[in-house]
Amino acid sequence: MKNLGFLKKLKKKEKLKLTEPSEEVKQAYLKKSSSYLESAKLLLKNKKFEEAISLAYYSMYYSLLALLFKVGIKSENHTASILLLKELFGLDNSKILNAKKERIDKQYYIDFKIVESNVMTLIKVAEEFNAEIFDFSEKLSFTELEKIRNKFKKMI
């Protein structure tokens, strides 16, 4: 994996570490994810497109953090979390990568035009992503969870 050095640096800075799996923290992040997605829909309805994009992304990110805490991984870095989705869990991370790019573009730059249909699409993608992550998380057996933890230990 080409990003191994990046992950090891984060581990050294304690921004990425193995911790105890926590159903409580997982549920808290799922609750945040759901709340952010609902807020994104309200913002869309009120023509606040830029803000809706940010919250749709964060809804996805919180679902990802819920999955990480289910297996006992604490990550304080968006890029690392997204990398782990692919490298540890073998899941496609293109949806959340795209949402992150959209959020950054719309949050930090001014030379763009946001179209309502694009926001609607991103919210739909967030709903699908969150459902996929939730489903994957619920189906993880104890044995698979342990394999993922061991893979993480070896990785960093």
Side-chain angles (χ1 to χ4, degrees):
M1 183 174 126
K2 64 182 179 182
N3 297 301
L4 200 55
F6 169 66
L7 296 176
K8 287 185 179 200
K9 283 181 190 175
L10 289 175
K11 180 184 185 251
K12 200 174 203 176
K13 294 178 182 179
E14 297 191 8
K15 300 289 183 191
L16 183 63
K17 62 184 170 183
L18 200 59
T19 185
E20 285 300 310
S22 174
E23 188 64 26
E24 187 178 319
V25 175
K26 173 192 158 194
Q27 290 302 324
Y29 276 119
L30 288 175
K31 189 175 178 182
K32 281 179 84 94
S33 173
S34 179
S35 176
Y36 273 56
L37 190 57
E38 282 303 308
S39 296
K41 291 174 183 178
L42 289 171
L43 289 165
L44 170 63
K45 188 176 179 179
N46 288 288
K47 309 291 186 206
K48 299 288 188 183
F49 302 142
E50 181 178 335
E51 296 87 345
I53 286 172
S54 288
L55 292 190
Y57 164 73
Y58 275 103
S59 173
M60 297 169 79
Y61 182 66
Y62 290 138
S63 285
L64 174 52
L65 290 182
L67 174 61
L68 291 173
F69 268 98
K70 177 175 176 106
V71 299
I73 296 171
K74 182 179 180 189
S75 175
E76 297 178 11
N77 183 283
H78 290 241
T79 302
S81 300
I82 294 168
L83 281 170
L84 291 174
L85 182 61
K86 184 175 182 181
E87 298 300 328
L88 271 186
F89 300 97
L91 297 175
D92 179 16
N93 62 4
S94 62
K95 289 177 184 173
I96 193 168
L97 274 172
N98 183 57
K100 180 183 176 206
K101 181 185 179 319
E102 285 296 305
R103 179 197 60 92
I104 289 170
D105 288 350
K106 305 314 183 259
Q107 192 172 347
Y108 296 112
Y109 303 105
I110 58 171
D111 59 341
F112 59 84
K113 180 171 178 17
I114 304 175
V115 180
E116 184 173 9
S117 62
N118 291 355
V119 181
M120 290 170 65
T121 299
L122 183 58
I123 288 173
K124 183 169 175 39
V125 167
E127 288 174 329
E128 292 167 359
F129 177 86
N130 292 347
E132 289 167 12
I133 295 297
F134 180 80
D135 188 50
F136 181 85
S137 174
E138 292 303 303
K139 290 178 180 175
L140 268 180
S141 69
F142 180 77
T143 305
E144 291 167 322
L145 191 140
E146 285 301 310
K147 283 181 184 175
I148 291 166
R149 287 177 61 82
N150 288 331
K151 186 175 180 180
F152 180 75
K153 286 178 195 173
K154 290 175 186 171
M155 187 182 286
I156 63 164

